[in-house]
Structure formats: structure tokens, C-alpha cells
Amino acid sequence: MNHLKIAELLPWYVNGTLAPAQREAVEKEIETCELCASDLETLKALQKTMLDVEAHAPGPSQFLVNRTLANIEEIERKRETQKAGSQWWRGLSAGAKAAVLVASLALILIAGGTLVRFTNSPNGQMALPPPPPVAMNALKVPAAADRTSASAAEAGATNIADVYSVQTKAAPVSTNKAPFQRPQIIRTGNMSLLVPDVEKTIARLQEIAQAQFGDVLALDDTTPSQPGERHIATLKLSVPQDRFAQTMDAIAKLGGVQTRSVAAEDVTNQIVDSQARLKNLRHTEEDLLRIMDRQGKVADLLDVQNQISSTRDEIEQLDAQLKSMQHRVAYSALSISLEDEIPAALVGPGAGTQLGDSWQTALRDSKELALRIGAGVLRIVAFAPYWAVPIALAWWLVAWLRRRPAY
Amino acid sequence: MQTQQASSPKSEAQWIRQIAKRDRGAFEQLYRAYERKLYRYLLGIVRSPESAEELTGDVMIEVWKNASRYRGHAKPSTWLFGIAHNKAIDVLRRRQPQVAELHAVAGAPDPRPGPEAAAINEGDRHEVAAALDALSAEHRSVLDLAFNNGCSQAEIAQIVGCPINTVKSRMFYAKQQLRQALERRGFRREIS
């Protein structure tokens, strides 16, 4: 192999993927060829730096995995629905399948016959059904095809070739913005429910949030302290935007829906603006860094350094705002209020509880009476000097009067 | 997804077979092993973090849908990067009909160590990253696949869908473009 052929193999010698024969040829060449050996060193350094750049470069958003997994669940759900739809056909007997096919063929023939009849009619026109109603926003913002047709009409195109030429001129307007220009919408939802058991519903809500690849962000659970109060809890959930409607429906099945509201805010323009500003700021920062590399006065360098610092601050602030906005678009917030259907007071105690309560009350009352009697006796004893002496005097007086002779 | 699992082509092929049977655990393992690699590769081609992120998700969804079509003739990484490359090229075509000319860089090969060596010796990561960003998508992808993902000539040819000789010439022009980009960025010092 000549020098040029060997030089072509060097990148793959560096990444270790050459066949043994090619590897040997390269090793022989670099022992004798100074240029190849030098090129090899350059390539080794290049690989090392590229790996270093990769190791320090940012990765994708941490929310990408959840979005992808949610999309896959959606695909599976649709697949299951389609599978169920096709099962009715497989479930049919051979005779039933044949009947369906014959009926379909007959319908096609009838429709074809009708078409031919209309085509051969004297005025050559077919009565078409009225067009379906068009949504207001569809009228305001025509689709790309409509715009091209309209522009063709404006240009006075009279035949297909004219229309085609106008369409080919207008087409690039729509193709440039194909997949990444979908509206960026922040969705929020509120729902209040009356449920049979708040505790169980909270657990169920946590399960629903996890199943939809979301999470419970906040929980405020107020357990009733007095009989008659209702058990109330509020939760905040965060779920992927494409799972928002499903999650609302799943939650609605947990109890009686009292209120339900959904709000949406279109932030497409804000996100696009922030991205553009961020890009400009990064370019500015790169330019400033290049200026720093040049030699100059210390005062000028300090000035540039200050500008770099303030630009970096702006970049970080804007980047954080953008990421926050993108997160709010990717994940919708749901506020759920739960309340017990029946307050504690309306649920009467059982017979056993009532008897137990009566027994406890009677015991408590009899103990209290015994204590009061004991206290009374002790008081009587304690006050004995005050009442025993007059009684003794009175008793002695009565006895003296009885002993005195009667006159 | 910050962490990447160490995996071998054999275990990855096994994961793909399990994904064909709708095994979500295997999918998550493959996802964790390739998310960052695919994202970085796609970012090098489409140059937009949002597009690269969306495409990474699309590639993995494609893997979920078509895992049963993987026959094991190519390495799993070749199959995955092939899907990613096709998707990225589709986006570039939609975005910009005029794909950068391959033969824009002309001239005979210069075997002397160029300014890229000087930049690398200085460890100037920032400059090299910017010079890599200045490369065309086709040249960048060949460099990425060879040096960041350890692909052989045949694997790169399979991924980007061209003959091996084209891969070699793209590598040659990629090196030359990198040299010119570094020179444009101010690396004009004397080369010995």
C-alpha cells in the first residue's frame, strides 16, 4: 500500500476498528514515514479533544425520557384499540366474511353506477352534498394549500400549468417550518370532587399521577378534629401535556365532580423570542471572548471582562426562564380539591358504642357521688366542735328539765 | 437521563429482541444507553437543541415500533445511528433544500500537522468545539461516528448510506475543513 492509502486508514487506526492486515500495514508505514507518524499524532489528539468536548457538552433535557415513554404508551394504547377493532373480523365465520365482502362489492357497484349515470346526464353535473361547516379559525388562517390556491387565483392563473408554477413558488413558505413550529401551550386545570373516602382517593390520585408519568407536587390534608366537620384535602399534580386530558378523565371517575376548569396560555412567541435573544447573547459572548484573546490596554481588557460578565448573567437568566417555560409547556399543572361526601356528624354511633358510652358515664357519675359523700362526711367531722357542743348543751338542758320536779 | 449504562452489542441486541415483544424494561435500558449519544450526534447535524431533542425521542419511538424488523446483521449501534442519520437528513432537507456542497473544499492533501494540532496541544476545547460546529453536516457526522462512537469505515458507510470510498473522502475533507475553520478562528501561528 502506498503512503496515500495508508494515510486514509489512519483515523480508523486511531479508533481501533481496522482489520489486522490493515493495522499491520499502518504500523509498518508509521515506523518509516515521518509524515504519517505526525498525522497519526494529530488524529490521536483530535480524538482525545473531541471526546473531551463531548464529555463536557450538555445532554438532552431530563424530561425527554418521560415524554418518550408517554408517547410509547400512547402508541400502545392505539395499537390495542386497533387490535380490538380487527378482532371482530377474525371472529366472523367464513360464511359471514363472504357475506360482508359481497355486500361491500354490491355497494361499490351501486355507487359506480350512480356516478356513471350522473356523468352521462345532459347537464353533466352531479349534485354534491353541501360542504361541511368550517371552523372560524380555519377561515381566518387558511392552510398552505389554500394560500397557494388563493395566490394562484390572484395571479390570474387559468390552467393547471399556471397554477402549478404559482404553487411551486409559494410552497417553500410552508416547508421550512414543518415539524418544530407547533404551538407551545401552557395548560392548567382545576377540579373539585366529592368523594366517599378522602384518604383512599389521595392514594388513588398518586397512583394515577405515576401511571401518567407525572407526580404529586403538593398535598394539604386537613383531617376533621370535631365531629360534624368534613375531611378536606387539596393536591397539586404535574403530568405530561399529552396526558393532561386522560388524567382529568381518570380523576373525574373518582367521585362526584363539583367544578372542573381548564386554562391554556399560548407562549409560542415568548419561547421563540427567548431562543433568538439567547442565540444573539451567545454570539455576543463569543465575540467578546475573542476580543479578550487579543492584546491591549489593561483598562480596555477590564471593560471587556465586565461586559462578558454581564452578558453571561443575562444568558443564564434567560436560559433559566426559557427552561422553566418549556417545562411548564411539557408538564401541565392540575389542582384537585377533595371533600368527604358525608360529614362525620351525620354518621350516628352504633348500638354497642352507645351502651359502652352509657356504662362509662354511669361509672363516672357513681364515682363522683361516692367522692362527694366522703367529702361531706369529712366536713361534718371537721366541723364537729361547732355543732357537737351546742347539741351536747341542748341535750343536757333537756335532760335537766325532765329531771326537775313538777310543780 | 444523565447516566449511561455500560452495554455490549450482544446485550443490546437482546434488548432489541425483547423490545420487539413489547418489553418496556428492555426499552428503558436501551434508551439509557443511547439517549445522550444519539442526542449529541443529532445535535452535530441539525445544530438546534430543540430539534435534536425531538429527533432523539423520534428515533427511540421508531425503535419501539420497528424492533421486530431488526435482524441482527448489523450492530445495534449501527442500526440506531442509521435511523438517527436518516431522520436528521430529512429535517435538513425540509429546512434547507440546498444541502452544503461536498466538494466546496478543494486542493491536494497536506500531510504536515495543521493548526488543529496546535489548538489541541493547547487544550483549547472551546475553539475546537466551535471549529467542529463550522463543519458541514456530512463531514461532522463522519468525524462524530469515527471518533466519538468508534465506528468502522463499513459501519459509517452503512449508517450514512454511501460507499466506503465516499466515507474516506468525507473524512479527508472533514479534516481539511476543520483545519480551515481553525485558521479562520485565528490559529495562524507558524507550523513546524
Side-chain angles (χ1 to χ4, degrees):
Chain A
M1 262 193 268
N2 64 25
H3 165 78
L4 285 176
K5 289 276 176 199
I6 296 288
E8 278 181 345
L9 295 177
L10 286 176
W12 289 278
Y13 177 77
V14 170
N15 80 359
T17 57
L18 283 186
Q22 289 176 317
R23 200 165 57 236
E24 275 177 32
V26 171
E27 279 163 1
K28 266 186 195 170
E29 175 74 8
I30 55 179
E31 276 175 15
T32 54
C33 176
E34 209 175 297
L35 292 177
C36 280
S38 163
D39 205 10
L40 180 66
E41 287 311 308
T42 303
L43 287 169
K44 277 182 182 172
L46 176 64
Q47 185 185 34
K48 195 180 164 195
T49 311
M50 282 184 69
L51 289 171
D52 188 46
V53 167
E54 280 302 294
H56 289 83
S61 149
Q62 56 178 325
F63 305 113
L64 179 60
V65 60
N66 282 347
R67 283 210 301 271
T68 310
L69 291 174
N71 283 337
I72 278 169
E73 290 305 324
E74 186 65 26
I75 289 166
E76 282 307 293
R77 200 178 55 75
K78 281 182 187 162
R79 206 174 66 89
E80 288 298 322
T81 315
Q82 282 170 358
K83 205 173 156 187
S86 64
Q87 268 173 354
W88 76 269
W89 173 255
R90 268 183 259 146
L92 291 177
S93 64
K97 281 179 184 171
V100 171
L101 284 174
V102 168
S104 308
L105 194 63
L107 271 173
I108 291 166
L109 287 173
I110 290 165
T114 313
L115 187 66
V116 168
R117 221 172 29 252
F118 272 114
T119 314
N120 294 336
S121 66
N123 56 8
Q125 287 179 347
M126 189 163 70
L128 292 171
V134 183
M136 284 306 287
N137 54 1
L139 285 171
K140 285 176 190 163
V141 186
D146 297 338
R147 285 200 296 272
T148 53
S149 304
S151 54
E154 281 166 18
T158 49
N159 57 30
I160 290 171
D162 290 343
V163 173
Y164 178 74
S165 72
V166 175
Q167 280 182 346
T168 48
K169 281 175 196 166
V173 174
S174 60
T175 51
N176 277 348
K177 295 185 178 177
F180 302 112
Q181 293 293 321
R182 60 184 184 205
Q184 303 289 297
I185 290 169
I186 295 173
R187 285 182 209 285
T188 49
N190 281 293
M191 203 186 263
S192 61
L193 299 167
L194 280 182
V195 293
D197 187 333
V198 169
E199 286 293 335
K200 282 181 187 166
T201 311
I202 290 172
R204 187 74 195 98
L205 278 171
Q206 284 169 335
E207 285 169 16
I208 289 174
Q210 280 172 4
Q212 303 292 349
F213 301 100
D215 216 339
V216 177
L217 298 182
L219 167 63
D220 183 7
D221 187 2
T222 313
T223 314
S225 55
Q226 298 291 327
E229 285 181 0
R230 284 176 193 256
H231 189 172
I232 295 170
T234 54
L235 290 97
K236 278 191 180 170
L237 306 187
S238 171
V239 290
Q241 196 196 60
D242 48 359
R243 295 257 160 173
F244 180 71
Q246 289 172 39
T247 312
M248 289 276 276
D249 291 345
I251 292 169
K253 287 175 190 162
L254 296 178
V257 178
Q258 297 299 296
T259 58
R260 179 176 176 155
S261 65
V262 174
E265 185 191 353
D266 190 346
V267 289
T268 313
N269 289 341
Q270 291 171 45
I271 287 181
V272 171
D273 286 350
S274 299
Q275 282 169 342
R277 280 175 58 206
L278 202 56
K279 198 175 168 188
N280 284 340
L281 282 169
R282 285 192 172 131
H283 282 309
T284 309
E285 189 188 34
E286 277 180 23
D287 292 342
L288 289 168
L289 285 167
R290 269 201 294 280
I291 292 169
M292 276 290 282
D293 288 344
R294 293 178 193 160
Q295 288 188 350
K297 288 179 189 169
V298 174
D300 293 344
L301 289 177
L302 284 173
D303 189 32
V304 174
Q305 200 169 21
N306 284 338
Q307 284 188 45
I308 289 174
S309 175
S310 63
T311 312
R312 177 88 325 241
D313 284 350
E314 271 186 76
I315 288 174
E316 278 166 12
Q317 204 178 350
L318 200 57
D319 197 28
Q321 281 173 6
L322 187 62
K323 278 183 181 153
S324 159
M325 220 181 313
Q326 284 171 332
H327 176 66
R328 286 169 61 211
V329 168
Y331 280 80
S332 303
L334 263 171
S335 297
I336 315 290
S337 303
L338 302 174
E339 197 174 334
D340 263 340
E341 279 174 350
I342 306 162
L346 297 180
V347 184
T353 313
Q354 285 184 33
L355 285 172
D357 286 351
S358 301
W359 174 244
Q360 291 295 332
T361 311
L363 275 180
R364 195 172 58 241
D365 290 352
S366 68
K367 198 190 283 180
E368 201 176 333
L369 184 64
L371 285 171
R372 285 188 179 188
I373 290 169
V377 170
L378 286 175
R379 276 170 185 265
I380 289 167
V381 172
F383 285 93
Y386 299 98
W387 57 262
V389 172
I391 287 177
L393 281 173
W395 181 77
W396 176 81
L397 184 64
V398 169
W400 179 76
L401 286 173
R402 279 183 184 171
R403 277 199 305 267
R404 201 178 60 172
Y407 296 100
Chain B
M1 198 65 53
Q2 298 305 321
T3 55
Q4 289 182 39
Q5 289 184 348
S7 57
S8 67
K10 202 175 166 186
S11 63
E12 287 166 9
Q14 180 61 29
W15 290 339
I16 295 173
R17 277 193 288 276
Q18 286 173 302
I19 291 168
K21 295 174 192 164
R22 308 285 161 207
D23 183 335
R24 287 160 174 78
F27 177 79
E28 207 164 324
Q29 282 179 302
L30 191 74
Y31 188 96
R32 282 173 197 280
Y34 277 95
E35 185 197 40
R36 187 180 164 85
K37 287 180 193 175
L38 289 172
Y39 171 78
R40 296 295 310 164
Y41 177 68
L42 288 163
L43 185 61
I45 299 177
V46 298
R47 312 290 164 86
S48 152
E50 291 78 25
S51 303
E53 206 167 285
E54 188 151 351
L55 284 174
T56 307
D58 288 352
V59 171
M60 293 313 292
I61 288 168
E62 199 77 18
V63 167
W64 176 262
K65 284 181 181 168
N66 296 314
S68 57
R69 292 188 192 167
Y70 176 69
R71 295 277 170 259
H73 299 313
K75 273 163 66 177
S77 58
T78 310
W79 185 57
L80 279 159
F81 279 110
I83 297 171
H85 187 84
N86 288 336
K87 285 199 173 288
I89 295 301
D90 281 350
V91 167
L92 287 189
R93 280 192 189 127
R94 278 199 296 267
R95 191 192 287 168
Q96 205 174 34
Q98 298 85 17
V99 178
E101 280 292 318
L102 256 183
H103 306 292
V105 182
D110 180 2
R112 292 178 306 170
E116 71 273 27
I120 293 154
N121 290 339
E122 284 182 12
D124 197 334
R125 195 187 306 138
H126 175 76
E127 290 298 333
V128 173
L132 283 168
D133 283 344
L135 294 181
S136 73
E138 282 138 332
H139 297 153
R140 173 71 184 261
S141 65
V142 172
L143 274 178
D144 270 346
L145 290 169
F147 290 141
N148 289 334
N149 296 292
C151 294
S152 68
Q153 296 172 26
E155 284 165 358
I156 296 174
Q158 212 172 343
I159 290 167
V160 303
C162 66
I164 288 181
N165 281 335
T166 309
V167 172
K168 287 178 185 171
S169 79
R170 283 186 189 178
M171 175 60 88
F172 165 72
Y173 286 117
K175 279 162 47 190
Q176 205 166 43
Q177 276 195 354
L178 187 64
R179 184 194 308 270
Q180 289 180 347
L182 284 168
E183 278 175 356
R184 275 199 302 275
R185 295 183 67 81
F187 286 89
R188 292 182 187 283
R189 54 182 76 83
E190 199 62 39
I191 302 154
S192 58

